[in-house]
Amino acid sequence: MRQSAVLEQLREQIATIEGSAAPKAVLPFGLESIDARLPGGGLSCAALHELAGSNALADDAAATVFLAGILARTEGPVFWCLRWRDLFAPALDLAGLSPDRVIYVEAGSDVNVLTAMEECLRHSGLGGVVGEVKALSTTASKRLQLAAEKSGVPAFVFRRALPLDAPASGTAAVTRWRLRAHPSEALGIPSLARPRWALALERVRGDEPQLWIVEGCDATGRIALPAELVDRPDRQEAQAAA
Amino acid sequence: MRRVVSLFLPNWSTDRIVRKLRQQPDRSAHSAASLAPASAPAPLVTALPDHGRRVVASVDRAARALGIRPGMTLTQARGFAPDLLVIDGDPEEDFEGLKRLALWATRHYSPVAAPDPPDGIWIDITGCAERFGGEAPLIKHLYRRVLASGFTAQIAVADTAGCAHAVARQVPSGRPTIIEPGKARSALAILPVHALRLGPGVADELRRMGFERVEQLMAAARAPLAKRFGLQLHKRLDQALGHLPEPIEPIFAADVPRTRRSLLEPIGTAEAFAHVIGDLTTDLAALLLRAGLGARHLDLYVERVDGHWQAIRVGTAKPSRDPAHLAKLLGQKIDTIEPGMGVEAMTLVSPLTEPLAGAQADALAARRGPDLPALIDALANRFGARHLYQATARSSSMPEREIDLVPPLGRAAPEGWDAALPRPSRMIVPPEKVEVTAMLPDHPPAMFVWRGKRYRVARADGPERLHGEWWQSEGLEVETPLSVRDYFQVETADGGRYWIYRLGDGTQRATGPMSWFIHGAFA
C-alpha cells in the first residue's frame, strides 16, 4: 500500500517533469449514482468547485458539513478562509476532518478571502482550500480555477447565505452544488435520525443538473443514500424537484 | 499619522534602588527592612557630588511629598526629613537601565523605541496598535506592566515626541493620557513654557518676561524672541507642533544579527526598496547561517533624509534564514513605506532568533510536502498573525468555550472533541433570543420564532444539560452561579436543524429566567 503510494507519487513527478499532463486525480463520493454524473468519476482535484446553502442558516450548516466530509477524504493540510468567525470546529471533527489538519484564515472581507485562497493555491500538496464569500466574480473564479489547476489542490468557494433565487452568474467553477436540509426519517421515538440533505448538482460540465436526497456525513465524511430511496430512479425525482 | 508614546518615570533612580534592594534582601538587610512596604517607608533620595557638596539628584514619592526637590543640598533636605535615607546616585547605571527598558519596549510594542534620559523612554507606535486592538489597550498594557515592575509612571501619547514628552511630565494623572490625532496644538497651549525642554535658565527668563504658557509663546512674534534666546526655543516649539521633524533614533540590542545599507542617493521607489531588501536579506542570511540561527522576527528600519525612522516588522512561523523567503515577507510591506523626501539608509535586524540546524536538513525537509511555514508567514503578514489559527479542544462545559485558538504549526498537537456530543457547524454568537412554545420542565420546543420567522418543530432530541462555569472569570455565569442551560436539537418541518437552549432548568428560578435562545445550526 505504502510502496504503491510512493510509486504513484514518483510517476506523477515524472509526468510533471516530462510536461505530460498527469492523470487527473478525482475525489469520488463512493456513491455510484453521484460519481457517474461527474467527469472522471468524482470531484476533480485540480479544479475550483462552488457550493452554497441558502439564506437559511441550517442550509449553510449542511453545506459546511458536506464540505468537511469531502475534505476529510483528502490528504494534507486544509486552509479554511473565513470572513467572520461563526464556524464551529467540533462539527468538522465530527465529519472526520481532524482539527490538526485545518488552519483557519480570518480574512475579513470577500476580497481578502479570495486573495488568501489564491495565496494558498500557489502551494501544491494541500488537502484543499476553502473560501467563504458572499459574491464571486467571473474574473476571480477564473484566477482561482487557474491556480487550482496549476497546484493540483481542490478549491472550494462557499457562497454564504446565497438566496435561492440568486441569478446564476457565470463562474469558471467546474461544478456548482447546492445543499438544503431535508426532513429526516421519522424514527417514532423522541430522537433524531441521521440528517438528510437535498443535494443539488446545479452545474457540471457536460451534463444536466441533478438532485439527490442523501444522508449526511458519517464520522469519516461519507454521505449515503437513504435505504428506502436507493432503488428508486433518482432522475425522475430530480426533475420533479427541480 | 505618526503616534509617539512618552513614558515618564518620575522616580526612576529611587524606584530602581528600591527594586534592587527588594530583590537582594540578604546583601543589605537593614535597608531592605526599612524599605519594606508594610512599614511606612522612610523618604529616599540619591545624592551626587557637586562642587565639593553633596546635592540631591533624585527623590522618591515620600521625599517629594515632604517638599524635597532635586538640586537641594543634603543638609537642606535633612531639614525636611531627619530620617532621610541617602544612597549614592549612579547616572550611568540609570541610563543603562533606561536602555534596557527601551529594548524591552522594542520587543513588546514597537521596533522604534529609545531612551529619553534622564527618566523616560520614547516609543514610536505608529502602525503598531493593531496588534493590541487599538492605541488605548496598548498603552494600558504598557502602563500596567511598568507599574507591576514597581515604577511610578506617567504616560502620554501624541502626534509628536515633543508633545507626548510635555504632556507626560506636566499632566500628573493616574491613567495614561491620549492626545487625539491633530490635537497637539490645543494640548500644548495650556502647558507651562518649561514643558518644551528648553535650555537651562531659558524657562525662568521667559517667565520673568511674562510668558507663562505655551499659547503665549505661540502667539508672540518670533523674531525678537529668536534674537534673545536663539533658534533653540522655536525649534522645540515647532518640533512639538509637528512642523519640524524630531526623529527617534531606535536602540538596538548589541548582540542581535544586524545589517545595514547606506545609500549613495536617496531612494523612493518600490523597485529600489525591493532591491535593497534583497541585499539586506542576503547579508542577514549569511550572518544567521554563521551563528546557526533562524529568524523569527525581522525589523526593517527605513531611515529618511529628514532623520525620521520608520520600522516594518514581520514574523515567521518557523525559524528561517532563506533570503528569498525573508525578502518576500518584507516585500509585501513595501507599500507601507513612506519615503517622504527619500530614504538614505536601511537597517535589517532580527531581534528574535531560534537555533536552526544545517542548511541541508532544511532543503530535505522542504522537499517533502508543501512549504507550510512559507505559506503561513505570507498569510500572517498580510492578514495579521491573530487571524490565522487552528482550533483545539478545551475541556469546558460551555460550548462557546470548548475551543481554544492556537497559532498554526503550534507544538502541541491539537486533539479532538467528544464524538458522542452533537455540535452545530455554524454558531450564532452571541446566542439570540427566540420565542418558544414548549411544555415545562423538559419538553422540547414545539414551535419557535426567530428573527420574525415562525418555525414548527417536527422532531427533537434532548435535553443536554450544561451547568454554567461561574468560576471562569470570562464566563457570563459569574453573576448567576447556579445557571443551567438545557440544549435541544430540533428539526423543523422543512428539515433544518437548530440548537436551542433554555436558560434555567424549568423548575428552579435560580437556575435561570427560563428564557430561550438559539445558539447554532446543525447539518
Side-chain angles (χ1 to χ4, degrees):
Chain A
M1 176 65 200
R2 178 174 270 189
Q3 214 171 8
S4 72
V6 171
L7 280 177
E8 193 62 32
Q9 223 173 359
L10 283 174
R11 277 198 198 102
E12 264 174 48
Q13 276 181 8
I14 292 167
T16 323
I17 291 162
E18 284 178 344
S20 61
K24 277 202 175 162
V26 293
L27 284 168
F29 283 98
L31 294 175
E32 182 54 36
S33 66
I34 299 180
D35 290 337
R37 295 292 170 197
L38 295 166
L43 280 177
S44 53
C45 280
L48 174 70
H49 305 277
E50 201 182 329
L51 89 164
S54 78
N55 41 16
L57 190 65
D59 294 342
D60 270 7
T64 309
V65 175
F66 174 70
L67 194 48
I70 294 171
L71 293 166
R73 289 176 278 122
T74 64
E75 265 176 43
V78 168
F79 280 79
W80 201 300
C81 310
L82 304 156
R83 280 180 56 191
W84 61 85
R85 196 183 290 178
D86 70 334
L87 182 67
F88 200 49
L92 305 190
D93 192 23
L94 291 177
L97 182 57
S98 142
D100 57 2
R101 287 187 54 208
V102 189
I103 295 166
Y104 300 93
V105 186
E106 212 172 281
S109 69
D110 273 10
V111 175
N112 284 352
V113 166
L114 296 171
T115 314
M117 283 184 81
E118 243 188 279
E119 183 73 47
C120 295
L121 288 172
R122 283 195 204 129
H123 294 253
S124 50
L126 303 182
V129 177
V130 180
E132 299 188 354
V133 295
K134 196 138 185 69
L136 177 69
S137 71
T138 313
T139 322
S141 72
K142 275 183 188 152
R143 292 178 64 108
L144 290 177
Q145 166 64 24
L146 282 177
E149 256 173 43
K150 210 167 160 196
S151 62
V153 173
F156 299 89
V157 167
F158 182 178
R159 306 280 302 272
R160 291 301 308 279
L162 185 71
L164 288 172
D165 54 1
S169 55
T171 72
V174 172
T175 60
R176 185 166 70 222
W177 301 84
R178 183 167 311 249
L179 269 283
R180 303 211 59 205
H182 191 79
S184 62
E185 189 186 354
L187 294 180
I189 51 168
S191 185
L192 293 174
R194 192 169 167 181
R196 282 186 183 171
W197 302 330
L199 173 64
L201 177 57
E202 291 186 334
R203 207 182 79 150
V204 56
R205 276 186 196 163
D207 206 344
E208 299 286 302
Q210 309 287 330
L211 184 109
W212 300 273
I213 302 299
V214 297
E215 302 218 297
C217 291
D218 62 11
T220 61
R222 296 207 174 268
I223 52 175
L225 288 180
E228 76 265 31
L229 293 178
V230 163
D231 295 327
R232 229 188 276 170
D234 50 74
R235 192 68 185 258
Q236 242 172 25
E237 197 188 49
Q239 276 161 356
Chain B
M1 178 56 89
R2 188 170 180 226
R3 298 293 282 167
V4 183
V5 171
S6 175
L7 168 62
F8 171 47
L9 304 147
N11 306 328
W12 174 240
S13 307
T14 48
D15 282 351
R16 257 170 31 82
I17 290 166
V18 172
R19 192 173 129 98
K20 211 190 251 168
L21 292 179
R22 278 209 191 119
Q23 281 168 352
Q24 321 164 326
D26 50 314
R27 271 173 62 183
S28 41
H30 65 283
S31 325
S34 58
L35 293 166
S39 62
L44 171 73
V45 300
T46 64
L48 285 176
D50 176 50
H51 298 99
R53 305 171 305 170
R54 288 178 83 205
V55 298
V56 173
S58 60
V59 296
D60 74 346
R61 195 196 297 247
R64 191 186 300 269
L66 290 170
I68 302 172
R69 296 280 177 267
M72 285 180 174
T73 62
L74 273 185
T75 327
Q76 268 179 308
R78 285 224 165 82
F80 286 94
D83 59 341
L84 191 67
L85 266 173
V86 182
I87 293 180
D88 281 336
D90 187 348
E92 268 177 40
E93 186 47 41
D94 283 347
F95 183 56
E96 288 302 314
L98 278 187
K99 281 208 268 189
R100 284 195 295 275
L101 187 65
L103 280 174
W104 168 81
T106 62
R107 282 196 296 278
H108 290 273
Y109 303 102
S110 157
V112 181
D116 173 19
D119 48 14
I121 64 167
W122 267 314
I123 314 170
D124 187 329
I125 57 161
T126 313
C128 297
E130 180 51 37
R131 227 155 33 92
F132 289 82
E135 207 169 68
L138 184 153
I139 296 164
K140 207 191 246 170
H141 188 266
L142 169 68
Y143 188 60
R144 288 212 182 123
R145 292 286 293 268
V146 175
L147 285 195
S149 311
F151 294 103
T152 318
Q154 287 175 209
I155 297 182
V157 55
D159 293 344
T160 64
C163 180
H165 179 100
V167 173
R169 279 153 187 78
Q170 300 303 322
V171 185
S173 147
R175 287 190 296 159
T177 314
I178 296 179
I179 306 298
E180 299 295 328
K183 293 275 192 274
R185 193 182 181 87
S186 49
L188 281 166
I190 55 164
L191 296 179
V193 283
H194 63 95
L196 287 176
R197 289 178 291 150
L198 304 170
V202 173
D204 292 335
E205 200 151 335
L206 277 171
R207 211 169 298 130
R208 266 201 296 283
M209 291 166 67
F211 289 101
E212 288 284 341
R213 307 207 166 272
V214 177
E215 59 190 336
Q216 292 169 302
L217 210 53
M218 292 194 280
R222 289 191 161 214
L225 283 173
K227 216 173 205 174
R228 173 74 184 76
F229 295 104
L231 293 172
Q232 181 71 5
L233 175 60
H234 282 103
K235 186 177 161 203
R236 286 293 187 213
L237 183 60
D238 286 340
Q239 282 177 336
L241 292 171
H243 299 160
L244 273 181
E246 183 176 7
I248 294 171
E249 191 164 321
I251 185 166
F252 304 110
D255 51 348
V256 299
R258 172 171 21 150
T259 157
R260 182 185 154 95
R261 282 282 154 107
S262 298
L263 306 164
L264 294 174
E265 294 274 325
I267 58 170
T269 63
E271 294 79 45
F273 290 137
H275 187 81
V276 180
I277 287 171
D279 289 351
L280 286 170
T281 48
T282 309
D283 291 357
L284 190 74
L287 285 178
L288 291 168
L289 181 65
R290 224 172 296 146
L293 297 171
R296 289 294 313 275
H297 273 173
L298 287 180
D299 286 334
L300 176 69
Y301 295 92
V302 179
E303 212 177 317
R304 280 193 335 217
V305 287
D306 63 6
H308 181 79
W309 289 70
Q310 192 193 347
I312 288 167
R313 172 166 283 183
V314 295
T316 64
K318 286 259 156 100
S320 164
R321 56 164 172 259
D322 173 9
H325 174 50
L326 300 180
K328 195 179 157 208
L329 292 180
L330 291 166
Q332 286 179 339
K333 303 249 171 162
I334 283 181
D335 53 353
T336 64
I337 297 178
E338 290 164 22
M341 302 289 287
V343 169
E344 61 178 3
M346 287 164 94
T347 304
L348 184 63
V349 182
S350 177
L352 182 63
T353 53
E354 274 177 21
L356 186 63
Q360 264 181 327
D362 300 350
L364 279 177
R367 204 155 294 166
R368 244 176 283 132
D371 187 5
L372 274 190
L375 173 54
I376 283 167
D377 291 345
L379 292 170
N381 286 303
R382 181 165 304 187
F383 301 109
R386 263 195 320 161
H387 295 133
L388 207 68
Y389 48 83
Q390 281 187 282
T392 60
R394 165 178 177 184
S395 71
S396 168
S397 69
M398 285 288 115
E400 59 267 38
R401 287 197 289 275
E402 279 172 352
I403 286 191
D404 234 355
L405 302 183
V406 295
L409 309 182
R411 293 211 174 82
E415 15 176 317
W417 289 265
D418 187 348
L421 295 174
R423 286 294 177 259
S425 59
R426 293 289 166 180
M427 285 285 252
I428 296 165
V429 185
E432 287 176 28
K433 220 166 176 162
V434 286
E435 307 258 335
V436 162
T437 316
M439 282 194 290
L440 294 180
D442 31 60
H443 281 275
M447 202 264 307
F448 66 97
V449 180
W450 176 44
R451 293 182 183 167
K453 207 179 153 205
R454 181 180 296 262
Y455 296 84
R456 196 171 62 75
V457 173
R459 283 177 270 280
D461 208 350
E464 180 188 346
R465 176 159 292 182
L466 300 178
H467 292 269
E469 296 174 311
W470 46 268
W471 60 91
Q472 296 268 18
S473 59
E474 80 266 40
L476 300 165
E477 310 91 60
V478 182
E479 310 282 304
T480 51
L482 298 174
S483 76
V484 163
R485 293 184 195 173
D486 278 338
Y487 276 92
F488 291 92
Q489 213 188 145
V490 300
E491 185 176 308
T492 58
D494 59 1
R497 292 192 173 194
Y498 297 94
W499 214 26
I500 287 184
Y501 73 85
R502 181 187 58 214
L503 194 58
D505 67 358
T507 50
Q508 302 275 321
R509 278 312 273 186
T511 58
M514 317 289 176
S515 42
W516 291 83
F517 295 87
I518 182 163
H519 204 173
F522 292 92

